Amino acid sequence: GQQLNQSPQSMFIQEGEDVSMNCTSSSIFNTWLWYKQDPGEGPVLLIALYKAGELTSNGRLTAQFGITRKDSFLNISASIPSDVGIYFCAGHLPSNTGKLIFGQGTTLQVKP
Amino acid sequence: GAGVSQSPSNKVTEKGKDVELRCDPISGHTALYWYRQSLGQGLEFLIYFQGNSAPDKSGLPSDRFSAERTGGSVSTLTIQRTQQEDSAVYLCASSSVTGDYGYTFGSGTRLTVV
């Protein structure tokens, strides 16, 4: 089936550093979304992207929908301890019925 | 309700028993999704409901898994004759009918089969 390749798998950074993660696919996606999951909770939507080339910010988060529609990245600037968690990319295929395909996740740890 | 509610939050069951997991979506959300998250893994799609019908159930792993939705609201995921490999967090999400792909997830049910 369709897969999203998300990297890196994990990151351990110092507080204040910037973070970048990305997702690629062999398929074209109509939408790209980025979620964050805290322990014991469901994923929470951070940013949604709907057009190729779109660049969207949400506070310290910035995400882009790749021009080829096969990739997306998420940047976090000036990381803080509460950024710790698992970040997932997700995409919606043109032929799908609403189903989202999720990446494997990037686990972020921030050292104060 | 204000958010997606799932129950129970934790379930420990013996191998071979049947279990039912419940999801109460956000009021007015017509689309409902079930996903499974195994330890350290991403989210695996199971089934999608639009109203009471399931246009896409392609992710159900076997015929031991079934789901229904009644009244366009509450959904139940049933796993019959549970196996140890069924141990995972089962997440439910809902979204509005307007094509908003930004699901709202519940906190999940952590299922442990012993």
Side-chain angles (χ1 to χ4, degrees):
Chain A
Q2 299 86 8
Q3 283 193 336
L4 289 182
N5 298 310
Q6 186 172 350
S7 64
Q9 187 174 4
S10 63
M11 302 180 75
F12 189 85
I13 63 169
Q14 195 78 28
E15 182 177 0
E17 290 183 352
D18 296 344
V19 172
S20 184
M21 59 193 78
N22 70 87
C23 274
T24 61
S25 173
S26 57
S27 301
I28 289 175
F29 282 80
N30 272 356
T31 60
W32 282 94
L33 303 104
W34 286 91
Y35 285 84
K36 182 193 178 198
Q37 185 177 32
D38 291 326
E41 300 294 327
V44 173
L45 181 66
L46 298 174
I47 291 181
L49 302 155
Y50 297 104
K51 292 194 306 186
E54 181 179 354
L55 183 71
T56 297
S57 292
N58 178 7
R60 294 179 295 106
L61 307 178
T62 301
Q64 184 157 33
F65 191 146
I67 290 291
T68 64
R69 296 170 64 192
K70 293 182 179 182
D71 63 303
S72 177
F73 71 75
L74 173 71
N75 288 343
I76 305 172
S77 63
S79 58
I80 59 178
S82 63
D83 290 334
V84 165
I86 305 176
Y87 292 79
F88 290 100
C89 62
H92 181 261
L93 294 167
S95 58
N96 266 4
T97 54
K99 172 173 73 177
L100 281 177
I101 310 296
F102 281 82
Q104 304 96 321
T106 295
T107 300
L108 178 64
Q109 295 177 285
V110 179
K111 184 178 180 182
Chain B
V4 177
S5 178
Q6 290 189 247
S7 61
S9 55
N10 279 285
K11 176 73 176 178
V12 180
T13 190
E14 292 182 352
K15 178 181 173 181
K17 301 276 191 180
D18 297 351
V19 294
E20 282 190 355
L21 313 180
R22 176 188 168 105
C23 174
D24 208 334
I26 291 174
S27 178
H29 278 191
T30 60
L32 185 147
Y33 310 83
W34 284 98
Y35 282 79
R36 178 168 72 173
Q37 185 175 26
S38 301
L39 187 63
Q41 299 297 311
L43 280 71
E44 174 190 6
F45 170 80
L46 297 177
I47 188 169
Y48 154 62
F49 286 93
Q50 182 61 44
N52 290 337
S53 63
D56 189 349
K57 54 180 78 172
S58 62
L60 294 177
S62 73
D63 58 8
R64 296 187 296 106
F65 288 72
S66 63
E68 65 174 12
R69 190 179 184 194
T70 55
S73 181
V74 172
S75 176
T76 302
L77 177 69
T78 301
I79 309 173
Q80 296 178 309
R81 305 180 302 281
T82 52
Q83 303 294 314
Q84 287 186 325
E85 61 263 29
D86 299 334
S87 296
V89 175
Y90 289 82
L91 290 160
C92 175
S94 69
S95 68
S96 68
V97 73
T98 57
D100 175 4
Y101 301 122
Y103 303 167
T104 300
F105 280 91
S107 296
T109 294
R110 180 175 296 279
L111 175 66
T112 303
V113 181
V114 297

